[in-house]
Amino acid sequence: MNGEELALEIINLSRNTLMIHYRFLDKAIYQLELSMDPTTTLATDGFYYYYNPSYILKIYSLSQSRLIHDYYHTLLHCIFHHPFVENIDTLFWDLACDIAVEACIQSMNDDLVKIKLDINAQMFLNQLQKELKQLNAEKIYRYLKNQNMNDETILTYCDYFKVDEHDYWYEHTKQDDNKQQSEDLDKESDSNQNSPSSSNSDNQGDTPQNQEGESIKKQWQEISQSIQTDLETLSKDYATKAGSLSLQLSITNHTKTSYHDFLNQFMVFNEELTINDEEFDYIYYTYGLKLYDNIPLIEPLEYKEDKKIQDLVIAIDTSASVKEKVIQKLINETYDILLSKESFFHHFNLYLIQCDSQIQDVTIIHQYDELENYQLTMKGFGGTDFRPVFDYVENLQMNHELTHLKGLIYLTDGEGIYPQKQPPYKVAFLMFDQNIEVPVWAIKLILEEDDYEYTRSKRSN
């Protein structure tokens, strides 16, 4: 048996060992086709597992179990969708992904795939766990970007956690860059010259490479969801052994959408005094003006049915545990969306309620200019009890002061006493911490600090 055949047998042995111990990974383990590549060490693009036979034999000679860890490391990259990214700093992203994967592996209650980390790597990992709690790649990436580390420091940490190469992750990005350069060159050419490259440039958006990339991304999304479901049902016994894998999968598989789209759920249909352009015929209108000397033949319809927000309650947690800067971010983003999209009817009821363990301040806004000029001064900073806000809103409804309330948004850090009774409207607790549990009838919105996307964790029936 030559070296190439031996290397292939070693990899297959590693994969089979993983399969025997972690049957919930069966779809993932054999999803990657093996492909020999002497120019790399270990790598993947989501389609193939690239390996250098010489490197495989070298690692195996040092540790027969190390390759099981290495294969699992690469597999987790795909399961967590790390290769399928765009518009990121690749140096920071590479490190963040390797740390996230190793953190997941180190959390396992099983020595099959665990390795002893370099002492500096372990110290840095402990520091991150203390500061971030959840070590998923996106959160680590943002943390690293905010630390003002120079490239030399980042590269040092990269060496601590590096297991495989990530160059294949960015092949599609290189292709897009080359395509853009080609299009730029085409634009500089003579506009009357019909060269093949310029005439076909408009048809390049949906290339075979892009189609394949979307296809494999979708496959890994389905695999990740399948593993998560399996760990929550049939393979519950593996959950403890798998460490933080189940938690990381729940973060990976959350559906994200824009905060603005979420606010649309609080809108209602109603008639408003405005010209209805959709039902008004301007031809007859202008004809009447011409025929009867500026006397219109028909008048525009003045009532139009729109879907906007009529009543809304925004509660603000002003307890001592809340970081004022975080709450201010959420408030600013909410106001910007409400103001920029004309989300409200001409006259509306917006209640801004500040509460810690009791109601501290209530501001009622009825017009856009009032909302635009409103300046928040936070009051309270005591304990945290969410119930007074719900009691207050219930009284408003009983007194017919809020007759079209679709929902309440609570800006909070999530730590506090929740009401047990489900109110007759939607409730969303808006926060940054994934670990907080909210009542089963409520929606938990996890905002990403950079892009204000939210993750729907729970919702009312």
Side-chain angles (χ1 to χ4, degrees), residues 409-421:
I409 301 174
Y410 215 124
L411 312 182
T412 177
D413 64 351
E415 299 283 357
I417 304 174
Y418 291 89
Q420 295 184 354
K421 180 182 176 183

Side-chain angles (χ1 to χ4, degrees), residues 317 319 321 355-357 383-390 410 412-420 429 436-439 441:
D317 181 358
S319 61
S321 62
C355 180
D356 47 18
S357 60
T384 309
D385 191 339
F386 303 120
R387 296 172 297 180
V389 169
F390 292 89
Y410 215 124
T412 177
D413 64 351
E415 299 283 357
I417 304 174
Y418 291 89
Q420 295 184 354
F429 290 94
I436 301 295
E437 290 295 329
V438 302
W441 43 261

